[in-house]
Amino acid sequence: MLVRAWLRVLLGRGSRDEEVYRAAVRLGPTAMKLAQVVSTRPDLVPPSLSRRLESLQEDAPRFSFEEARKVVEQELGSPLDALFQVFPAEPTASASLSQVYFAALPDGSEVAVKVQRPGIERRIQRDVRILRYLARLVTLLRPSLRSLHLADAAAEFGRWTLQELDFRLEGQNADEIRRNFAAW
């Protein structure tokens, strides 16, 4: 996939920025997450590429409402219409790991519901194993890159990304921010 993208750019059939974006999307959530991280590093990629990859932070390709419904019902143990007064078919935002829906509880309270992509944890674990393998291979082929510790970086990226899937931690962080800024 990456070779095809590279060839399209060389043959003048696609722009570098768009081809890198498309490759990240086709490779899936782990590649999209990696692209998001890279987009925050203007020292690593040109500004135009950074801007294109930045869109994956809130406007990644969406997964279907039916998949989202299945995840919510499975996690919460009840049908969607029993859990929410309103649950829209379209997400408010979609990123590499999840989508967010603004919904209403049965009492009318408005909530944000963050739904993970189906099968995401297993997929990230597999992709990180591949990334670590590729990092070791690149280091063997190019010993001058050994000082970059690419396999360790891939492993850390995997740990960090898998930790992001624990929405309880995210909720605890939000609670702490709310407490810290309560006087504001």
Side-chain angles (χ1 to χ4, degrees):
M1 199 172 302
L2 294 173
V3 171
R4 186 171 88 184
W6 179 69
L7 286 173
R8 286 182 52 78
V9 172
L10 284 179
L11 296 172
R13 294 189 180 145
S15 76
R16 175 205 58 211
D17 300 350
E18 192 58 31
E19 291 302 322
V20 170
Y21 171 86
R22 286 183 190 165
V25 168
R26 283 192 298 261
L27 287 168
T30 309
M32 287 191 289
K33 187 67 183 171
L34 194 53
Q36 288 175 347
V37 171
V38 169
S39 78
T40 66
R41 296 291 310 268
D43 57 320
L44 296 178
V45 297
S48 62
L49 179 57
S50 176
R51 282 190 300 276
R52 184 63 182 116
L53 296 178
E54 210 172 61
S55 68
L56 291 170
Q57 293 179 21
E58 292 181 5
D59 194 26
R62 298 171 175 195
F63 55 94
S64 76
F65 173 70
E66 285 310 313
E67 290 174 295
R69 171 195 293 272
K70 190 175 181 180
V71 169
V72 172
E73 290 178 347
Q74 188 173 4
E75 289 291 319
L76 300 179
S78 294
L80 211 57
D81 56 357
L83 296 165
F84 300 96
Q85 185 182 97
V86 175
F87 196 99
E90 290 296 316
T92 302
S94 182
S96 57
L97 306 179
S98 60
Q99 293 184 162
V100 175
Y101 296 83
F102 289 152
L105 297 174
D107 69 1
S109 302
E110 294 180 352
V111 295
V113 181
K114 195 168 182 180
V115 182
Q116 287 181 5
R117 291 182 180 275
I120 188 78
E121 186 171 354
R122 193 171 56 256
R123 186 157 185 188
I124 289 172
Q125 289 170 342
R126 181 203 63 204
D127 290 350
V128 169
R129 281 194 305 274
I130 293 168
L131 281 174
R132 290 182 72 191
Y133 171 78
L134 291 173
R136 287 191 299 271
L137 182 62
V138 165
T139 303
L140 284 173
L141 296 174
R142 298 290 294 253
S144 62
L145 298 177
R146 194 170 288 142
S147 65
L148 295 177
H149 305 283
L150 296 174
D152 292 339
E156 179 62 22
F157 170 77
R159 280 189 295 278
W160 174 71
T161 303
L162 287 169
Q163 188 175 16
E164 272 192 68
L165 294 178
D166 187 346
F167 289 168
R168 292 172 300 188
L169 288 175
E170 188 173 342
Q172 290 168 359
N173 290 338
D175 286 343
E176 186 172 337
I177 289 169
R178 186 179 66 244
R179 282 191 302 274
N180 290 341
F181 289 97
W184 288 35

